[in-house]
Amino acid sequence: MANTDSVNVRVLSLNCWGIRYLSKHCPQRYAMIGDMLCREEHDIVLLQEVWSEKDYLSLKRKLACSHPHSNYFKSGVIGSGLAIFSKHRIHDTFLFRYSLNGYPYMAHHGDWFGGKAVGMAILNIGSLTANVYLTHLHAEYCRDKDLYLPHRVVQAWELQQFIRHTSAGADVVILGGDLNMHPEDLGNRLLRSYTGLRDCYLETAKFDGCEDGMTLIADNPFINKKELFPFEKGIRIDYILFKGSSKADVYCDFMSTTKGSVPDHPFPYSDHEALTVGLRLETHTSTETGRDRQSKNKDSAAGKLAELVDIVTEARTEVKVGLHCAESMRYTAKRTGVMGLALLFLELAIATVPWLALGAEQPFPRTSFYLLAALCFAILLTTFLLYIFYTIELKSLQGAEDQMRLAVGSLQEKLRGFPLAQPHNAQQRPPKAHKPSAFDPEE
Amino acid sequence: MANTDSVNVRVLSLNCWGIRYLSKHCPQRYAMIGDMLCREEHDIVLLQEVWSEKDYLSLKRKLACSHPHSNYFKSGVIGSGLAIFSKHRIHDTFLFRYSLNGYPYMAHHGDWFGGKAVGMAILNIGSLTANVYLTHLHAEYCRDKDLYLPHRVVQAWELQQFIRHTSAGADVVILGGDLNMHPEDLGNRLLRSYTGLRDCYLETAKFDGCEDGMTLIADNPFINKKELFPFEKGIRIDYILFKGSSKADVYCDFMSTTKGSVPDHPFPYSDHEALTVGLRLETHTSTETGRDRQSKNKDSAAGKLAELVDIVTEARTEVKVGLHCAESMRYTAKRTGVMGLALLFLELAIATVPWLALGAEQPFPRTSFYLLAALCFAILLTTFLLYIFYTIELKSLQGAEDQMRLAVGSLQEKLRGFPLAQPHNAQQRPPKAHKPSAFDPEE
């Protein structure tokens, strides 16, 4: 039996819906949020959609005593909206901006201007090093015809990569935020399977909150019920996930959510519900660790690998759909640009003919001539900018697709190390063969 | 005495100067590079400025036997230019795009379109996990008045963050590439001090190459000697850096560079010289590790920390200069935009007055009217785009500055754990105090 040493950590995550002048009752809600955070004294507070730095700074002043350490992650045109407040000292921070995040011309959706990213803060909790991640993925505006699905899948891909690669030195990993994905959506499965992060809602010993852990609910007065259709009661898109390490086990003792209203206040904190979880971190002092125990179960590891291969393959398909879309958009931009150029030449030709025929009357009314020329230039400029934008999008999608292909190859290679898992695989190879295998991951 | 197990790894780094149709003798040079790589069979090949994916693919075909594993990192409009070829299987890759990378309107410098980034590839070499990083930072066009210095410092900052945070699980770390910085430049010191990476040129047991390890030399026929001024013989801006871990020690047995020409060929591989290093990886099997040995020397650790505080403070100053510049550029864009708008209103007013005075003759010749209006719109559009661009630049610079401030605070906190290092520091605190300290890192 290992000796353990236990620490309790309370974490809150809330999407604040903090668009100054546009979000309803924004200053009042920030005041309510500040009061609540001061009173509740969570160890770690993860806020999203704090779009204005001024609001962050006023929260920071208010929480100076309860949460002396904080960080606001700056990115994009108006910021990432991500803020972390902590009782424990933040030793280091790092920001990863997603390579794809919607389209600048979809200004009414506004995601592009937000510069979506994942922020990391490294905290020492007792003797443990905790990597705390905070993110907000691209919103889903229409589930049936979700234009942004490939972008969100790439964001989920980059999120899992970032967490996986930066958390090797961490004893505890905590991720909180608005993932804008339902629990079983592709991106969510990708994230959980690849990183091994566990969902507080599914793991908690006690739960007090909305039905099914929903965080965007019909009972919230700021919610337009039509937008929830066909999920009339609500959806679960905000999460707190966690995992331990060889040095510490993590347990979720309780979880609660707000329920669409706040006692003694006329409206809730936000259009999203706030999540609070109680995590118990148990430090090992023996060498028999969770990771060791896990590695003993080879069959289940092989099963998980096989599942991961399927999920990455599904994500790759989704990215390919995005690639196809981006290619056709770029082609359209190019074609429109060429038409604009042709129109400009035609106009110049028509205007030049009488000029060459010395003295013949100009067939073009001047006003129309200039207006048409201005239109041509506008078309050329717009299509040029769009062409560059779609090229960048294509490169990012291709890059993600390449990485996924490589990952599938590498996972399949590992799977070959589990003979039971793939009984029909004729050619068995050791897991660390360095020569190219018969399976070509770069097909 | 620890038991050791030794592996030799040969690494090459080369900036290929591969701009199709613009770089001199591009196809011939790629053919020469491919032949050399096939013949030399380095374990790991790190190429920069492979701007065309077609060139990457033709190299890949040529090196299919000698280097079966490869990856091309896609980013920006024309790509990151980064390609890795390896004898050892690449298990995973990850790309971090720098938040700042010059200006799109400086098209003649072209860096912005390249989407500069750092690529990571995870390889298994024997029983060791090697994290191999490959990067190319923003070029320096004028050393006396270097417009891009804040951008390059932020890139170096992000590079060290990326390496530090992603290499915790690595047994061996190798970084190669064109850093566009002299050996003692701020960004280089920041990178080496923070990550603990060591410079092959300074560590090698044997060296055969250009004087002072220079990689951009006057003897190279593609080099314009004037651009090297005042460093007439050349400069050292390409590097291979490395470090070991608690599991393996790394030694540089030899290093060589090309010397501005290639035997039996009319011109060299590139305008940069190629670097080749021989690294020896020695695996520990005992628990007495390099890291343990290092931690025994507390005095030197404190000295290094103090030096790091100075370097980060210097970098912060440089970023502040960049912030000031970006602010004034944004202000100029805003003011010009407002003037364009005022001009447009003035024009409309002048045109409207006679129209209101029914029938009075239009004082504006039509042509001038439309041309002036078009000019106003062009000014408005350009200044709007510039305003958005500078806002993004400002956010990135502010973000880096915030992170640096936090880092300095955290480093000073650690320094307090070394009483000898700061004899004049009146208030001594334990290194892991979680309450806010008297020193305010957020000043």
Side-chain angles (χ1 to χ4, degrees), chain A residues 60 74 367 370 402 442, chain B residues 60 74 367 370 402 442:
Chain A
K60 184 177 158 155
K74 297 187 177 92
T367 316
Y370 288 116
D402 285 354
E442 317 207 352
Chain B
K60 185 178 157 156
K74 297 187 177 95
T367 315
Y370 287 116
D402 285 355
E442 317 208 352

Side-chain angles (χ1 to χ4, degrees), chain A residues 332-346:
Chain A
T332 306
K334 189 174 159 185
R335 206 179 41 186
T336 314
V338 169
M339 278 165 58
L341 198 66
L343 192 63
L344 190 67
F345 280 124
L346 188 70

Side-chain angles (χ1 to χ4, degrees), chain B residues 24-77:
Chain B
K24 283 179 193 158
H25 308 297
C26 204
Q28 294 94 320
R29 288 191 295 105
Y30 269 120
M32 284 164 61
I33 292 170
D35 292 343
M36 180 262 287
L37 295 178
C38 252
R39 195 175 58 235
E40 296 279 338
E41 293 202 357
H42 305 87
D43 291 86
I44 300 166
V45 174
L46 306 172
L47 302 181
Q48 304 101 53
E49 291 212 24
V50 183
W51 292 122
S52 162
E53 201 178 345
K54 283 181 191 157
D55 291 325
Y56 161 73
L57 291 172
S58 80
L59 274 180
K60 185 178 157 156
R61 275 191 297 276
K62 201 162 184 173
L63 303 179
C65 291
S66 60
H67 298 86
H69 310 289
S70 68
N71 194 61
Y72 185 63
F73 293 96
K74 297 187 177 95
S75 162
V77 183

Side-chain angles (χ1 to χ4, degrees), chain A residues 51 53 56 60 64 68-79 87-99 112-113 120 122 124-127 157-158 161-162 164-170 194 366-367 370-371 374 381 384-385 388 391-396 398-399 402-403 405-407 409-410 413-414 431-437 439 441-442, chain B residues 51 53 56 60 64 68-79 87-99 112-113 120 122 124-127 157-158 161-162 164-170 194 366-367 370-371 374 381 384-385 388 391-396 398-399 402-403 405-407 409-410 413-414 431-437 439 441-442:
Chain A
W51 292 123
E53 201 178 344
Y56 161 74
K60 184 177 158 155
H69 309 289
S70 67
N71 193 63
Y72 185 63
F73 293 96
K74 297 187 177 92
S75 160
V77 183
I78 42 174
K87 279 188 172 181
H88 308 276
R89 188 175 186 93
I90 298 173
H91 286 278
D92 213 339
T93 59
F94 189 28
L95 185 72
F96 182 89
R97 294 164 181 85
Y98 298 123
S99 62
W112 185 85
F113 293 88
M120 175 177 86
I122 300 183
N124 274 60
I125 303 179
S127 62
W157 173 257
E158 291 176 342
Q161 280 189 313
F162 184 70
R164 223 157 30 89
H165 291 303
T166 56
S167 63
Y194 231 134
R366 273 209 176 165
T367 316
Y370 288 116
L371 280 180
L381 183 72
F384 175 71
L385 291 177
I388 288 190
T391 303
I392 296 177
E393 187 189 6
L394 267 174
K395 289 269 177 211
S396 295
Q398 283 167 349
D402 285 354
Q403 289 170 349
R405 191 186 55 212
L406 192 89
S410 184
E413 188 80 16
K414 268 189 201 163
K432 276 179 183 168
H434 286 147
K435 297 222 169 159
S437 70
F439 166 77
E442 317 207 352
Chain B
W51 292 122
E53 201 178 345
Y56 161 73
K60 185 178 157 156
H69 310 289
S70 68
N71 194 61
Y72 185 63
F73 293 96
K74 297 187 177 95
S75 162
V77 183
I78 42 173
K87 278 188 172 180
H88 307 276
R89 188 175 186 95
I90 298 173
H91 285 278
D92 213 340
T93 60
F94 190 27
L95 185 71
F96 182 89
R97 293 165 182 83
Y98 298 123
S99 62
W112 186 84
F113 292 88
M120 176 177 85
I122 301 182
N124 274 59
I125 303 179
S127 62
W157 173 257
E158 291 176 342
Q161 281 189 310
F162 184 70
R164 223 157 30 88
H165 292 303
T166 55
S167 63
Y194 231 134
R366 271 207 177 167
T367 315
Y370 287 116
L371 279 180
L381 183 73
F384 174 72
L385 291 177
I388 289 191
T391 304
I392 296 177
E393 187 189 6
L394 266 174
K395 289 267 175 212
S396 294
Q398 283 167 351
D402 285 355
Q403 289 169 349
R405 191 185 56 213
L406 193 90
S410 184
E413 187 80 16
K414 267 190 202 163
K432 274 179 184 170
H434 286 147
K435 297 222 169 155
S437 72
F439 167 76
E442 317 208 352

Side-chain angles (χ1 to χ4, degrees), chain B residues 404-440:
Chain B
M404 287 173 185
R405 191 185 56 213
L406 193 90
V408 169
S410 184
L411 290 169
Q412 299 227 9
E413 187 80 16
K414 267 190 202 163
L415 255 180
R416 290 200 187 90
F418 299 102
L420 285 171
Q422 292 204 326
H424 306 297
N425 190 343
Q427 195 184 0
Q428 296 296 338
R429 283 177 169 276
K432 274 179 184 170
H434 286 147
K435 297 222 169 155
S437 72
F439 167 76
D440 179 14

